[in-house]
Amino acid sequence: MTSSDRKDATTSLVLAGALGVICLAAAHATGHLPLFSLSPPGGGTADVPEQLRVDLHMAFFTIWASMLLATPALMTVAGIGASPTAWRWWRITWTASLLVFLVHFYWAAVIVFGNDWSRILNTPRVSAPRLDTVFAVWWVIDVALAWLRDPRTTWVRLQRWGVHLLAFVLFFMGAAREGELALSRALGWAMAVAVVAGLLAWLLQRRSRT
């Protein structure tokens, strides 16, 4: 790993750590507020006990933070092959977003649901648990490839487009379409607008070069 790679890896860790600390602080600061329902979507018996409200908030806040960090990566992924700067900041934000997402995954699956996959697979709180798990593994693989393999390899580029498309769909559906709070829906739509704007900017730049 070159000194530039080490610097970028450190930046990713710092970004992820800072967002993680902010999420934890926000979860504790709002732990006395009923921001999120303890009952699953559609109502019914509460499936999260009151004593886990802070942890429930942490699960929500970390997925928001992961989406915020993923947004610049989704915006710039189309241009990483032509711009070293775009490549650097894509890799930094994409990696940091994954780290925060893994914190979310752990907090939701292990702490909130007690690592009980029968609950996870059957709760309306998680719309596509199997797909989410596949996505998490794929994301880890793509980030590993970003640090270890030549990004110009055709199969690396194709799978990278695939995992980014899946990330966009899952983040958008989870926030904009299924978000419990208006803030969540606003963040989802803001991400969508930013990503579309980034792709349009890349298309215009590519057209002007050709």
Side-chain angles (χ1 to χ4, degrees):
M1 183 177 285
T2 66
S3 59
S4 177
D5 287 339
R6 287 193 291 271
K7 181 179 178 181
D8 289 352
T10 300
T11 303
S12 296
L13 289 172
V14 170
L15 270 177
L19 266 293
V21 169
I22 291 172
C23 289
L24 187 60
H28 281 280
T30 59
H32 63 291
L33 301 174
L35 288 182
F36 304 99
S37 175
L38 299 177
S39 298
T45 305
D47 60 350
V48 177
E50 180 63 39
Q51 60 266 31
L52 291 181
R53 181 175 290 282
V54 170
D55 297 306
L56 181 65
H57 288 197
M58 180 65 173
F60 274 101
F61 292 158
T62 48
I63 197 62
W64 290 358
S66 180
M67 181 174 64
L68 288 173
L69 285 169
T71 298
L74 294 171
M75 290 173 60
T76 58
V77 65
I80 59 177
S83 169
T85 300
W87 161 257
R88 182 187 174 211
W89 285 105
W90 166 82
R91 187 170 63 167
I92 287 171
T93 54
W94 190 235
T95 303
S97 180
L98 169 65
L99 295 175
V100 177
F101 180 82
L102 293 177
V103 172
H104 159 77
F105 197 93
Y106 171 81
W107 226 276
V110 177
I111 297 182
V112 175
F113 285 103
N115 206 26
D116 185 346
W117 281 87
S118 64
R119 290 178 60 201
I120 295 171
L121 293 173
N122 293 286
T123 177
R125 285 186 182 274
V126 186
S127 57
R130 291 180 178 84
L131 183 58
D132 288 342
T133 304
V134 170
F135 167 62
V137 173
W138 192 358
W139 195 350
V140 169
I141 292 171
D142 184 55
V143 167
L145 290 171
W147 293 93
L148 301 174
R149 291 297 298 267
D150 186 344
R152 294 168 294 184
T153 306
T154 300
W155 71 268
V156 172
R157 293 170 59 192
L158 290 176
Q159 69 80 34
R160 182 154 291 148
W161 274 101
V163 73
H164 279 70
L165 177 60
L166 184 56
F168 177 81
V169 170
L170 290 178
F171 276 128
F172 180 76
M173 294 299 293
R177 296 295 300 276
E178 301 172 5
E180 188 173 332
L181 300 182
L183 177 58
S184 179
R185 296 189 291 274
L187 288 173
W189 280 105
M191 179 205 69
V193 170
V195 171
V196 170
L199 289 175
L200 288 175
W202 170 73
L203 287 172
L204 290 174
Q205 290 176 358
R206 185 179 183 184
R207 183 177 180 181
S208 65
R209 288 196 299 268
T210 57

